[in-house]
């Protein structure tokens, strides 16, 4: 068993979350890991993987010794990315397979095997602590995590819920109706499994030092926030233990009499800086406090950026590596070769150095058709690059295709950085060392999937870059407007009308990708960049072929835009897909304008029905400007510019700290936070951490209800006219210091 020891911040913070089935521990754990940008360990997935391996190999689950041998010898690799944790056995991805009904019905036989449990608990501890050391945080969820797997975890939480609530949640997950048969089935799946597992594991009551949270009646966001508060308290305690208690910071009251000027920005920000030690702050919170508004808005000098091309044969993990460097899922990744075909440019940054990152298709020698064109595009990328990352599969070694590609790269006379991908352990690093024989210098072993070694690799890439490269400067030109909506809603027609010329339309071919069409247009005396996107038919996860790639391109176009115009057909009912597209825009944080097209086709009856639909379905974006247009005739298209300008003005708006706190003081005095558990949380002060979209950080003495946060948001919109822009409100809570 892992022995308890004083926590070393350099080793990262471990968080253990336990609880019965249906308590929400899996969902909460993933969201906590995402919020902390840390790793995620699903300990239960290990037991499911053993059950899967035994069933695949015909091992009798009742044979305790045989199952234990499988647990000891299994080649098991657990991905720890909370956005997509994977389970791989002997190179086979079984992430989906272990969630099948046959596994759920058999896994208790493995979980209650007392010979298996210590084997897996040892392996779980190894993954937990190594991931925490690598990523700073790691959240582990599952049976025994708080008591056996990680009894010395920095934060230990037991989630509970009533039997009725847990059965209801499980039924909802499976999409089952609330019937007597469903309740009996859920009682068997949820309560019986708890009884079986509790015979060898104690997870129904909190052990000493474990924080218990009853999730009955709480939303997921509430539970996640409670856990994050515990993590913040643990970090504060570590800080105090390491550096000693901080000097008490003066509180800045926000209650200001009506008509008073309130405290000055300088006074408030000085007090904020003095009181930072009492709060858990991220980089965004510190953005305003660190350099002031002028420093944030100082434009970067335009210069040519270096270009880094990622090349290699098919299926060595190039796109996965690109996503790892970008820190987001931008490039398309599938478990089959040939998904990437074009040269795709992304803005990237490492250690303060900006550069263009180019993802390429897999290079192959002596191929024809589309494979030839893909290889040709990769070679073009090399000819335009300042640095080339040559990616090979360390598990396979150098193939004939790798050797042929290397000849092409040597002719290009471009600095090469050798990347040995798919190295997940020290043994893999030893195998990767054999790549020194290529004469390219040090091979950099990485795991693009898990992030291992990516920092050292990027340090080497940045060191090889010239100060100015071959890439164009980042375009900070005209404001960018994305036209999004369902197919045939009139996006291209509107673009043609605004451009006053007919664009050439190219149909998508199944299995290929097409970039959105950019068009610079002068409207209202200003130049704008309009981006026409492919229509989104359904959710990306359910799309296939051309629809899949069109959806990805639309997401990418939206990320590059500043404001989105969502087109809806006024003569048809607002659909579920329309609402999903609007939600996509909200998630992107872009300003929003709603354009109801084909307005000239409305009759009186449809007009009344549409107003009812808007009130019912679009209440959550009532703040977005509405424009009623006809793309075919050009009717009212001139009204689009004032709506765009108003939305962008709100998106860029910054509220001075003194004015913001004067506003909050009056608001709190008139509408104080409701009592909660006999105590009343107080808002102490606030600041706007950033714009685009506006993000406010509220410093409070305790938890603020989500309803009260929405009330603050609504009043902010009314008083400061945030029309057309989403608003983000974060709350930082002053923790009591532990003695």
């Amino acid at each position: 068993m892992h022995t308890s020891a004083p926590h070393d911040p350099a080793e990262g913070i471990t968080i253990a979350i336990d609880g019965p089935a249906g308590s929400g521990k899996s969902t909460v754990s993933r969201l906590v890991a995402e919020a902390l940008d840390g790793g995620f360990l699903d300990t239960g997935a290990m037991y499911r993987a053993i059950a899967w391996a035994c069933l695949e190999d015909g091992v009798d689950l009742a044979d305790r010794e045989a199952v234990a041998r499988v647990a000891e010898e299994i080649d098991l690799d657990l991905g720890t990315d909370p956005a997509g944790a994977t389970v791989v056995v002997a190179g086979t991805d079984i992430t989906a397979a272990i969630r099948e009904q046959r596994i759920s019905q058999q896994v208790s036989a493995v979980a209650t095997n007392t010979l298996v449990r210590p084997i897996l608990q040892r392996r779980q501890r190894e993954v937990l602590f190594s991931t925490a050391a690598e990523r700073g945080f790691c959240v582990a969820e599952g049976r025994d995590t708080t008591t056996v797997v990680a009894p010395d975890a920095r934060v230990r939480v037991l989630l509970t819920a009533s039997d009725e609530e847990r059965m209801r949640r499980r039924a909802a997950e499976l999409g089952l109706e609330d019937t007597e048969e469903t309740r009996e089935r859920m009682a068997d799946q949820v309560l019986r499994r708890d009884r079986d597992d509790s015979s060898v594991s104690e997870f129904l009551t909190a052990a000493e030092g474990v924080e218990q949270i009853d999730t009955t009646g709480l939303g997921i966001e509430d539970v996640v926030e409670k856990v994050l508060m515990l993590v913040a308290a643990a970090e504060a305690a570590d800080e105090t233990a390491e550096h000693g208690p901080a000097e008490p910071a003066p509180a800045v009251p926000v209650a200001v009499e009506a008509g008073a000027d309130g405290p000055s920005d300088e006074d408030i920000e000085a007090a904020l800086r003095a009181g930072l030690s009492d709060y858990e702050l991220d980089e965004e919170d510190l953005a305003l406090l660190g350099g002031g508004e002028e420093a944030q808005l100082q434009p970067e000098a335009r210069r040519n950026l270096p270009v880094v091309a990622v090349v290699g044969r098919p299926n060595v993990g190039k796109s996965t590596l690109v996503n790892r460097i970008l820190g987001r899922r931008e490039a398309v990744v599938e478990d089959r070769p040939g998904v990437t075909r074009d040269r795709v440019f992304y803005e990237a940054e490492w250690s303060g150095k900006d550069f263009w990152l180019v993802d390429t298709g897999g290079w192959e020698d002596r191929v024809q058709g589309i494979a030839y064109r893909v290889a040709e595009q990769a070679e073009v990328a090399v000819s335009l690059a300042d640095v080339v990352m040559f990616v090979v599969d360390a598990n396979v070694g150098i193939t004939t295709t790798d050797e042929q590609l290397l000849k092409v790269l040597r002719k290009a006379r471009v600095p090469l950085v050798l990347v040995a991908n798919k190295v997940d352990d020290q043994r893999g690093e030893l195998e990767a060392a054999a790549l020194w024989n290529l004469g390219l210098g040090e091979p950099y072993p990485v795991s693009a999937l898990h992030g291992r070694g990516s920092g050292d690799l990027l340090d080497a890439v940045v060191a090889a870059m010239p100060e100015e490269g071959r890439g164009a400067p980042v375009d900070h030109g005209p404001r960018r407007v994305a036209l999004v909506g369902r197919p045939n809603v009139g996006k291209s027609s509107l673009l043609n009308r605004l451009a006053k010329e007919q664009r050439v339309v190219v149909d998508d071919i199944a299995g290929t990708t097409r970039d959105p069409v950019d068009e610079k247009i002068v409207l209202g005396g200003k130049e704008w960049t309009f981006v026409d996107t492919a229509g989104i038919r359904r959710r990306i996860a359910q799309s296939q072929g051309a629809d899949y790639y069109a959806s990805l391109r639309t997401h990418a176009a939206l990320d590059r835009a500043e404001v989105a115009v969502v087109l809806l057909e006024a003569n048809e009912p607002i659909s579920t897909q329309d609402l999903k597209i609007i939600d996509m825009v909200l998630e992107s944080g872009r300003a929003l304008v709603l354009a109801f097209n084909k307005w000239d086709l409305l009759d009186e009856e449809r007009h009344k029905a549409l107003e009812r639909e808007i009130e019912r379905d679009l209440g959550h974006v009532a703040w977005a400007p509405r424009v009623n247009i006809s793309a075919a005739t050009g009717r009212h298209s001139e009204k689009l510019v004032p709506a765009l300008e108003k939305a962008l003005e709100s998106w860029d708006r910054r509220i001075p700290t003194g004015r913001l706190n004067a506003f909050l003081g009056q608001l709190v005095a008139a509408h104080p936070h409701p009592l909660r558990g006999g105590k009343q949380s107080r808002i102490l002060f606030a600041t706007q951490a950033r714009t685009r979209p506006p993000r406010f950080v509220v410093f409070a003495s305790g938890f603020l209800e989500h309803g009260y946060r929405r009330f603050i948001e609504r009043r902010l919109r009314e008083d400061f006219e945030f029309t057309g822009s989403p608003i983000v409100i974060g709350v930082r809570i002053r923790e009591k210091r532990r003695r």
Side-chain angles (χ1 to χ4, degrees), residues 164-403:
E164 294 76 12
E165 177 72 5
R166 293 191 290 119
M167 290 190 291
R168 184 194 64 77
R169 290 174 182 171
R170 185 52 55 89
E173 288 177 7
L174 299 175
L176 302 177
E177 295 183 3
D178 185 15
T179 64
E180 187 66 31
E181 181 182 355
T182 298
R183 285 191 286 272
E184 291 180 2
R185 179 179 171 185
M186 291 303 99
D188 180 66
Q189 282 195 8
V190 177
L191 304 184
R192 179 189 59 78
R193 180 182 166 193
D194 286 346
R195 287 194 300 270
D196 291 345
D197 290 356
S198 63
S199 64
V200 294
S201 173
E202 182 55 55
F203 58 86
L204 298 178
T205 57
E208 183 179 355
V210 176
E211 297 282 350
Q212 180 168 324
I213 299 176
D214 186 350
T215 67
T216 306
L218 293 180
I220 289 294
E221 290 183 351
D222 298 304
V223 182
V224 170
E225 185 142 6
K226 286 176 176 288
V227 176
L228 291 175
M229 287 169 59
L230 295 174
V231 175
E235 288 190 288
D238 291 339
E239 185 74 16
T240 300
E242 184 176 0
H243 302 293
E247 291 296 322
V252 182
V254 299
V256 181
E257 296 180 4
D261 292 336
S264 68
D265 281 4
E266 291 76 11
D267 292 340
I268 291 177
E269 291 181 15
L272 285 175
R273 292 189 183 92
L276 292 183
S277 60
D278 281 347
Y279 295 90
E280 175 61 17
L281 302 177
D282 57 25
E283 292 181 0
E284 292 180 351
D285 298 335
L286 294 170
L288 180 60
L289 304 177
E293 183 174 339
E294 293 181 1
Q296 290 186 69
L297 302 180
Q298 184 69 28
E300 181 184 358
R302 291 173 60 83
R303 61 184 179 83
N304 292 331
L305 298 183
V307 178
V308 178
V310 182
V311 299
R313 61 180 176 80
N315 217 29
V316 293
K318 298 184 295 299
S319 294
T320 304
L321 179 60
V322 167
N323 286 337
R324 173 62 59 184
I325 294 172
L326 296 176
R328 61 185 185 275
R329 292 176 179 270
E330 187 82 32
V332 183
V333 177
E334 284 192 20
D335 292 332
R336 59 184 178 87
V339 173
T340 304
R341 293 181 174 177
D342 301 319
R343 285 175 291 131
V344 187
F345 285 73
Y346 302 104
E347 293 180 47
E349 181 272 336
W350 181 254
S351 297
K353 182 81 169 181
D354 295 319
F355 57 95
W356 290 110
L357 187 65
V358 188
D359 188 16
T360 66
W363 186 93
E364 295 179 271
D365 190 27
R366 297 179 183 178
V367 287
Q368 297 179 344
I370 193 168
Y372 170 79
R373 292 193 293 274
V374 171
E376 188 178 45
Q377 288 293 309
E379 292 179 19
V380 171
V382 171
S383 68
L384 298 175
D386 296 290
V387 180
V388 171
M389 296 170 62
F390 177 33
V391 184
V392 300
D393 187 336
N395 295 328
V396 176
I398 295 297
T399 67
T400 302
T401 302
D402 290 322
E403 293 175 347

Side-chain angles (χ1 to χ4, degrees), residues 416-433:
L416 296 178
V417 177
L418 179 59
V419 184
N421 193 22
K422 305 183 182 180
V423 175
D424 298 313
D425 50 33
Q426 291 183 343
R427 183 181 66 181
E429 290 185 0
L430 294 176
E431 294 174 351

Side-chain angles (χ1 to χ4, degrees), residues 505-632:
V505 178
V506 180
D507 289 331
D508 290 347
I509 301 174
T512 64
T513 61
R514 293 290 184 268
D515 287 322
V517 176
D518 290 15
E519 179 74 8
K520 285 187 168 58
I521 300 172
V522 176
L523 290 175
K526 296 181 181 178
E527 188 178 42
W528 305 77
T529 298
F530 279 81
V531 186
D532 182 21
T533 65
I536 302 175
R537 299 181 184 274
R538 64 190 84 180
R539 295 175 61 185
I540 285 184
Q542 298 171 349
S543 300
Q544 296 179 350
D547 284 346
Y548 177 78
Y549 294 104
S551 297
L552 285 173
R553 292 299 189 189
T554 297
H555 273 264
L558 190 58
D559 287 341
R560 296 196 307 272
E562 296 171 287
V563 57
V565 176
V566 177
L567 270 75
L568 305 101
E569 289 192 79
N571 61 330
E572 292 188 5
I574 296 174
S575 68
T576 301
Q577 189 60 24
D578 289 325
L579 299 179
K580 289 179 179 177
I581 292 171
I582 291 173
D583 288 341
M584 181 180 72
V585 175
L586 296 180
E587 290 171 5
S588 72
R590 298 306 180 259
L592 172 65
V593 173
L594 301 177
F596 288 87
N597 192 23
K598 306 181 184 180
W599 193 262
D600 52 327
L601 302 180
L602 260 64
D603 55 26
E604 187 65 26
E605 183 178 350
R606 174 57 194 154
H607 186 277
K608 292 180 180 178
L610 178 59
E611 291 300 328
R612 290 194 297 268
E613 291 170 12
I614 291 173
E615 183 177 355
R616 181 190 67 216
D617 299 331
L618 301 181
H620 63 302
V621 288
W623 42 265
R626 282 175 48 189
V627 182
N628 304 324
I629 62 173
S630 172

Side-chain angles (χ1 to χ4, degrees), residues 11 88 160 207 280 317 370 393 454 515 579 606 649 717 719:
E11 296 176 353
V88 178
T160 62
E280 175 61 17
I370 193 168
D393 187 336
S454 57
D515 287 322
L579 299 179
R606 174 57 194 154
E649 183 182 350
R717 290 191 181 282
D719 284 46

Side-chain angles (χ1 to χ4, degrees), residues 17-30 141-143 159:
I17 299 181
D18 206 338
S23 60
K25 61 181 180 296
S26 179
T27 302
V28 169
S29 298
R30 287 179 184 273
E141 67 94 355
R143 301 283 190 262
L159 301 182

